[in-house]
């Protein structure tokens, strides 16, 4: 059983891509801002929260417009030496952006990476079924299969219950990739990231 949210394209790119950012620090550390930008465009397109995204979001953003938006988001989720390495940093930064946009309907709460896998699977299904993409933070990971997601923020925009596994669709760097949630969740490290859970009132 597969449930995948409708995302958006910028040209041929599936959502934004931090490789587009012109400055070094944003290219290596702009994943939090990119995740917030992609969330904002998604909510403008599919949930009517148009105040939090550029005006052209509903018509289709250009790459240049998306980059401008990312640098508007940068002060709220600025790259830093240790990265945006806690859920509360993302929540506080994006909440301040939403406040400054005058949007009070979208709230967030953390789901810590130390929670059991079954709880993580359940909450992903709940969020996707309710139409919410899930910002996800992975810190260190023992499995090299997930090396592109180490110390990285990205969106989960779908799930697929196969006979053998529970897959999630990870959206980052302008593409979507199906990953095993059990493998992704079992980082093998004591300190973990987790999910940010959106809710619209």
């Amino acid at each position: 059983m597969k449930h995948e949210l409708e995302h958006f394209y910028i040209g041929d790119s599936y959502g934004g891509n931090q490789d587009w950012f012109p400055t070094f620090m944003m290219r290596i550390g702009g994943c939090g801002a990119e995740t917030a930008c992609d969330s904002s465009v998604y909510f403008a397109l599919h949930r009517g929260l148009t105040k939090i995204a550029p005006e052209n979001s509903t018509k289709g953003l250009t790459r240049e417009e998306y980059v401008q938006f990312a640098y508007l988001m940068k002060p709220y989720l600025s790259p830093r030496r240790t990265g945006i390495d806690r859920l509360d940093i993302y929540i506080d930064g994006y909440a301040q952006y939403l406040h400054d946009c005058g949007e009070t309907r979208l709230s967030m709460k953390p789901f810590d990476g130390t929670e059991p896998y079954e709880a993580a699977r359940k909450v992903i299904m709940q969020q996707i079924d309710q139409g919410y993409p899930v910002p996800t933070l992975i810190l260190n990971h023992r499995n090299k299969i997930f090396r592109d997601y180490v110390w990285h923020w990205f969106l989960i925009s779908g799930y697929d219950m196969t006979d053998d596994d529970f897959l999630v669709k990870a959206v980052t760097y302008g593409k979507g990739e199906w990953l095993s949630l059990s493998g992704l969740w079992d980082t093998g490290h004591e300190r973990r990231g987790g999910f940010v859970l959106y809710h619209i009132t």
Side-chain angles (χ1 to χ4, degrees), residues 123-136:
V123 81
I124 284 291
M125 293 177 67
Q126 289 173 341
Q127 291 296 106
I128 298 297
D129 288 348
Q130 293 172 18
Y132 298 117
V134 182
T136 303

mmCIF file with all atom_site columns, all heavy atoms in Angstrom, residues 123-136:
data_model
loop_
_atom_site.group_PDB
_atom_site.id
_atom_site.type_symbol
_atom_site.label_atom_id
_atom_site.label_alt_id
_atom_site.label_comp_id
_atom_site.label_asym_id
_atom_site.label_entity_id
_atom_site.label_seq_id
_atom_site.pdbx_PDB_ins_code
_atom_site.Cartn_x
_atom_site.Cartn_y
_atom_site.Cartn_z
_atom_site.occupancy
_atom_site.B_iso_or_equiv
_atom_site.pdbx_formal_charge
_atom_site.auth_seq_id
_atom_site.auth_comp_id
_atom_site.auth_asym_id
_atom_site.auth_atom_id
_atom_site.pdbx_PDB_model_num
ATOM 1   N N   . VAL A 1 123 ? 3.767  7.169  13.227 1.00 0.00 ? 123 VAL A N   1
ATOM 2   C CA  . VAL A 1 123 ? 3.611  8.612  13.107 1.00 0.00 ? 123 VAL A CA  1
ATOM 3   C C   . VAL A 1 123 ? 3.829  9.071  11.661 1.00 0.00 ? 123 VAL A C   1
ATOM 4   O O   . VAL A 1 123 ? 3.187  10.022 11.203 1.00 0.00 ? 123 VAL A O   1
ATOM 5   C CB  . VAL A 1 123 ? 4.542  9.348  14.099 1.00 0.00 ? 123 VAL A CB  1
ATOM 6   C CG1 . VAL A 1 123 ? 5.963  9.468  13.595 1.00 0.00 ? 123 VAL A CG1 1
ATOM 7   C CG2 . VAL A 1 123 ? 3.974  10.722 14.441 1.00 0.00 ? 123 VAL A CG2 1
ATOM 8   N N   . ILE A 1 124 ? 4.700  8.399  10.924 1.00 0.00 ? 124 ILE A N   1
ATOM 9   C CA  . ILE A 1 124 ? 4.859  8.721  9.498  1.00 0.00 ? 124 ILE A CA  1
ATOM 10  C C   . ILE A 1 124 ? 3.554  8.463  8.760  1.00 0.00 ? 124 ILE A C   1
ATOM 11  O O   . ILE A 1 124 ? 3.100  9.297  7.954  1.00 0.00 ? 124 ILE A O   1
ATOM 12  C CB  . ILE A 1 124 ? 6.007  7.898  8.880  1.00 0.00 ? 124 ILE A CB  1
ATOM 13  C CG1 . ILE A 1 124 ? 7.357  8.455  9.299  1.00 0.00 ? 124 ILE A CG1 1
ATOM 14  C CG2 . ILE A 1 124 ? 5.898  7.864  7.347  1.00 0.00 ? 124 ILE A CG2 1
ATOM 15  C CD1 . ILE A 1 124 ? 7.698  9.811  8.717  1.00 0.00 ? 124 ILE A CD1 1
ATOM 16  N N   . MET A 1 125 ? 2.928  7.337  9.008  1.00 0.00 ? 125 MET A N   1
ATOM 17  C CA  . MET A 1 125 ? 1.659  7.030  8.345  1.00 0.00 ? 125 MET A CA  1
ATOM 18  C C   . MET A 1 125 ? 0.597  8.061  8.697  1.00 0.00 ? 125 MET A C   1
ATOM 19  O O   . MET A 1 125 ? -0.153 8.533  7.823  1.00 0.00 ? 125 MET A O   1
ATOM 20  C CB  . MET A 1 125 ? 1.200  5.620  8.734  1.00 0.00 ? 125 MET A CB  1
ATOM 21  C CG  . MET A 1 125 ? 2.092  4.517  8.211  1.00 0.00 ? 125 MET A CG  1
ATOM 22  S SD  . MET A 1 125 ? 1.575  2.869  8.757  1.00 0.00 ? 125 MET A SD  1
ATOM 23  C CE  . MET A 1 125 ? 0.011  2.708  7.899  1.00 0.00 ? 125 MET A CE  1
ATOM 24  N N   . GLN A 1 126 ? 0.517  8.441  9.959  1.00 0.00 ? 126 GLN A N   1
ATOM 25  C CA  . GLN A 1 126 ? -0.467 9.425  10.388 1.00 0.00 ? 126 GLN A CA  1
ATOM 26  C C   . GLN A 1 126 ? -0.250 10.766 9.699  1.00 0.00 ? 126 GLN A C   1
ATOM 27  O O   . GLN A 1 126 ? -1.199 11.370 9.185  1.00 0.00 ? 126 GLN A O   1
ATOM 28  C CB  . GLN A 1 126 ? -0.401 9.609  11.905 1.00 0.00 ? 126 GLN A CB  1
ATOM 29  C CG  . GLN A 1 126 ? -0.919 8.426  12.699 1.00 0.00 ? 126 GLN A CG  1
ATOM 30  C CD  . GLN A 1 126 ? -0.684 8.580  14.192 1.00 0.00 ? 126 GLN A CD  1
ATOM 31  O OE1 . GLN A 1 126 ? 0.157  9.372  14.638 1.00 0.00 ? 126 GLN A OE1 1
ATOM 32  N NE2 . GLN A 1 126 ? -1.407 7.812  14.989 1.00 0.00 ? 126 GLN A NE2 1
ATOM 33  N N   . GLN A 1 127 ? 0.999  11.215 9.661  1.00 0.00 ? 127 GLN A N   1
ATOM 34  C CA  . GLN A 1 127 ? 1.282  12.525 9.068  1.00 0.00 ? 127 GLN A CA  1
ATOM 35  C C   . GLN A 1 127 ? 1.014  12.532 7.567  1.00 0.00 ? 127 GLN A C   1
ATOM 36  O O   . GLN A 1 127 ? 0.373  13.458 7.048  1.00 0.00 ? 127 GLN A O   1
ATOM 37  C CB  . GLN A 1 127 ? 2.740  12.925 9.346  1.00 0.00 ? 127 GLN A CB  1
ATOM 38  C CG  . GLN A 1 127 ? 3.040  13.250 10.798 1.00 0.00 ? 127 GLN A CG  1
ATOM 39  C CD  . GLN A 1 127 ? 2.289  14.470 11.301 1.00 0.00 ? 127 GLN A CD  1
ATOM 40  O OE1 . GLN A 1 127 ? 1.336  14.357 12.072 1.00 0.00 ? 127 GLN A OE1 1
ATOM 41  N NE2 . GLN A 1 127 ? 2.713  15.642 10.892 1.00 0.00 ? 127 GLN A NE2 1
ATOM 42  N N   . ILE A 1 128 ? 1.497  11.527 6.870  1.00 0.00 ? 128 ILE A N   1
ATOM 43  C CA  . ILE A 1 128 ? 1.292  11.477 5.424  1.00 0.00 ? 128 ILE A CA  1
ATOM 44  C C   . ILE A 1 128 ? -0.194 11.328 5.101  1.00 0.00 ? 128 ILE A C   1
ATOM 45  O O   . ILE A 1 128 ? -0.716 11.993 4.197  1.00 0.00 ? 128 ILE A O   1
ATOM 46  C CB  . ILE A 1 128 ? 2.108  10.332 4.792  1.00 0.00 ? 128 ILE A CB  1
ATOM 47  C CG1 . ILE A 1 128 ? 3.621  10.550 5.014  1.00 0.00 ? 128 ILE A CG1 1
ATOM 48  C CG2 . ILE A 1 128 ? 1.794  10.197 3.303  1.00 0.00 ? 128 ILE A CG2 1
ATOM 49  C CD1 . ILE A 1 128 ? 4.189  11.788 4.379  1.00 0.00 ? 128 ILE A CD1 1
ATOM 50  N N   . ASP A 1 129 ? -0.890 10.478 5.845  1.00 0.00 ? 129 ASP A N   1
ATOM 51  C CA  . ASP A 1 129 ? -2.323 10.286 5.601  1.00 0.00 ? 129 ASP A CA  1
ATOM 52  C C   . ASP A 1 129 ? -3.102 11.576 5.806  1.00 0.00 ? 129 ASP A C   1
ATOM 53  O O   . ASP A 1 129 ? -4.153 11.798 5.180  1.00 0.00 ? 129 ASP A O   1
ATOM 54  C CB  . ASP A 1 129 ? -2.889 9.197  6.520  1.00 0.00 ? 129 ASP A CB  1
ATOM 55  C CG  . ASP A 1 129 ? -2.442 7.797  6.129  1.00 0.00 ? 129 ASP A CG  1
ATOM 56  O OD1 . ASP A 1 129 ? -1.884 7.637  5.019  1.00 0.00 ? 129 ASP A OD1 1
ATOM 57  O OD2 . ASP A 1 129 ? -2.639 6.859  6.931  1.00 0.00 ? 129 ASP A OD2 1
ATOM 58  N N   . GLN A 1 130 ? -2.618 12.452 6.681  1.00 0.00 ? 130 GLN A N   1
ATOM 59  C CA  . GLN A 1 130 ? -3.276 13.725 6.942  1.00 0.00 ? 130 GLN A CA  1
ATOM 60  C C   . GLN A 1 130 ? -2.784 14.854 6.023  1.00 0.00 ? 130 GLN A C   1
ATOM 61  O O   . GLN A 1 130 ? -3.235 15.993 6.136  1.00 0.00 ? 130 GLN A O   1
ATOM 62  C CB  . GLN A 1 130 ? -3.074 14.123 8.400  1.00 0.00 ? 130 GLN A CB  1
ATOM 63  C CG  . GLN A 1 130 ? -3.778 13.195 9.386  1.00 0.00 ? 130 GLN A CG  1
ATOM 64  C CD  . GLN A 1 130 ? -3.410 13.474 10.830 1.00 0.00 ? 130 GLN A CD  1
ATOM 65  O OE1 . GLN A 1 130 ? -2.897 14.537 11.162 1.00 0.00 ? 130 GLN A OE1 1
ATOM 66  N NE2 . GLN A 1 130 ? -3.664 12.507 11.700 1.00 0.00 ? 130 GLN A NE2 1
ATOM 67  N N   . GLY A 1 131 ? -1.867 14.510 5.119  1.00 0.00 ? 131 GLY A N   1
ATOM 68  C CA  . GLY A 1 131 ? -1.415 15.495 4.136  1.00 0.00 ? 131 GLY A CA  1
ATOM 69  C C   . GLY A 1 131 ? -0.249 16.348 4.562  1.00 0.00 ? 131 GLY A C   1
ATOM 70  O O   . GLY A 1 131 ? -0.063 17.448 4.030  1.00 0.00 ? 131 GLY A O   1
ATOM 71  N N   . TYR A 1 132 ? 0.568  15.853 5.499  1.00 0.00 ? 132 TYR A N   1
ATOM 72  C CA  . TYR A 1 132 ? 1.710  16.617 5.975  1.00 0.00 ? 132 TYR A CA  1
ATOM 73  C C   . TYR A 1 132 ? 3.028  15.958 5.578  1.00 0.00 ? 132 TYR A C   1
ATOM 74  O O   . TYR A 1 132 ? 3.270  14.798 5.949  1.00 0.00 ? 132 TYR A O   1
ATOM 75  C CB  . TYR A 1 132 ? 1.691  16.719 7.507  1.00 0.00 ? 132 TYR A CB  1
ATOM 76  C CG  . TYR A 1 132 ? 0.502  17.424 8.087  1.00 0.00 ? 132 TYR A CG  1
ATOM 77  C CD1 . TYR A 1 132 ? -0.386 16.737 8.916  1.00 0.00 ? 132 TYR A CD1 1
ATOM 78  C CD2 . TYR A 1 132 ? 0.249  18.768 7.814  1.00 0.00 ? 132 TYR A CD2 1
ATOM 79  C CE1 . TYR A 1 132 ? -1.489 17.376 9.470  1.00 0.00 ? 132 TYR A CE1 1
ATOM 80  C CE2 . TYR A 1 132 ? -0.853 19.414 8.365  1.00 0.00 ? 132 TYR A CE2 1
ATOM 81  C CZ  . TYR A 1 132 ? -1.717 18.710 9.190  1.00 0.00 ? 132 TYR A CZ  1
ATOM 82  O OH  . TYR A 1 132 ? -2.809 19.343 9.727  1.00 0.00 ? 132 TYR A OH  1
ATOM 83  N N   . PRO A 1 133 ? 3.904  16.660 4.868  1.00 0.00 ? 133 PRO A N   1
ATOM 84  C CA  . PRO A 1 133 ? 5.268  16.149 4.709  1.00 0.00 ? 133 PRO A CA  1
ATOM 85  C C   . PRO A 1 133 ? 5.978  16.200 6.058  1.00 0.00 ? 133 PRO A C   1
ATOM 86  O O   . PRO A 1 133 ? 5.572  16.963 6.945  1.00 0.00 ? 133 PRO A O   1
ATOM 87  C CB  . PRO A 1 133 ? 5.891  17.120 3.701  1.00 0.00 ? 133 PRO A CB  1
ATOM 88  C CG  . PRO A 1 133 ? 5.134  18.394 3.897  1.00 0.00 ? 133 PRO A CG  1
ATOM 89  C CD  . PRO A 1 133 ? 3.725  17.992 4.272  1.00 0.00 ? 133 PRO A CD  1
ATOM 90  N N   . VAL A 1 134 ? 7.019  15.408 6.216  1.00 0.00 ? 134 VAL A N   1
ATOM 91  C CA  . VAL A 1 134 ? 7.664  15.262 7.521  1.00 0.00 ? 134 VAL A CA  1
ATOM 92  C C   . VAL A 1 134 ? 9.132  15.677 7.440  1.00 0.00 ? 134 VAL A C   1
ATOM 93  O O   . VAL A 1 134 ? 9.961  14.935 6.883  1.00 0.00 ? 134 VAL A O   1
ATOM 94  C CB  . VAL A 1 134 ? 7.560  13.811 8.031  1.00 0.00 ? 134 VAL A CB  1
ATOM 95  C CG1 . VAL A 1 134 ? 8.192  13.695 9.424  1.00 0.00 ? 134 VAL A CG1 1
ATOM 96  C CG2 . VAL A 1 134 ? 6.112  13.342 8.053  1.00 0.00 ? 134 VAL A CG2 1
ATOM 97  N N   . PRO A 1 135 ? 9.487  16.854 7.978  1.00 0.00 ? 135 PRO A N   1
ATOM 98  C CA  . PRO A 1 135 ? 10.905 17.204 8.078  1.00 0.00 ? 135 PRO A CA  1
ATOM 99  C C   . PRO A 1 135 ? 11.646 16.187 8.947  1.00 0.00 ? 135 PRO A C   1
ATOM 100 O O   . PRO A 1 135 ? 11.183 15.837 10.040 1.00 0.00 ? 135 PRO A O   1
ATOM 101 C CB  . PRO A 1 135 ? 10.881 18.580 8.756  1.00 0.00 ? 135 PRO A CB  1
ATOM 102 C CG  . PRO A 1 135 ? 9.530  19.133 8.451  1.00 0.00 ? 135 PRO A CG  1
ATOM 103 C CD  . PRO A 1 135 ? 8.619  17.936 8.457  1.00 0.00 ? 135 PRO A CD  1
ATOM 104 N N   . THR A 1 136 ? 12.778 15.735 8.447  1.00 0.00 ? 136 THR A N   1
ATOM 105 C CA  . THR A 1 136 ? 13.515 14.655 9.098  1.00 0.00 ? 136 THR A CA  1
ATOM 106 C C   . THR A 1 136 ? 14.976 15.049 9.249  1.00 0.00 ? 136 THR A C   1
ATOM 107 O O   . THR A 1 136 ? 15.583 15.572 8.311  1.00 0.00 ? 136 THR A O   1
ATOM 108 C CB  . THR A 1 136 ? 13.405 13.368 8.260  1.00 0.00 ? 136 THR A CB  1
ATOM 109 O OG1 . THR A 1 136 ? 12.024 13.035 8.092  1.00 0.00 ? 136 THR A OG1 1
ATOM 110 C CG2 . THR A 1 136 ? 14.131 12.216 8.925  1.00 0.00 ? 136 THR A CG2 1
#
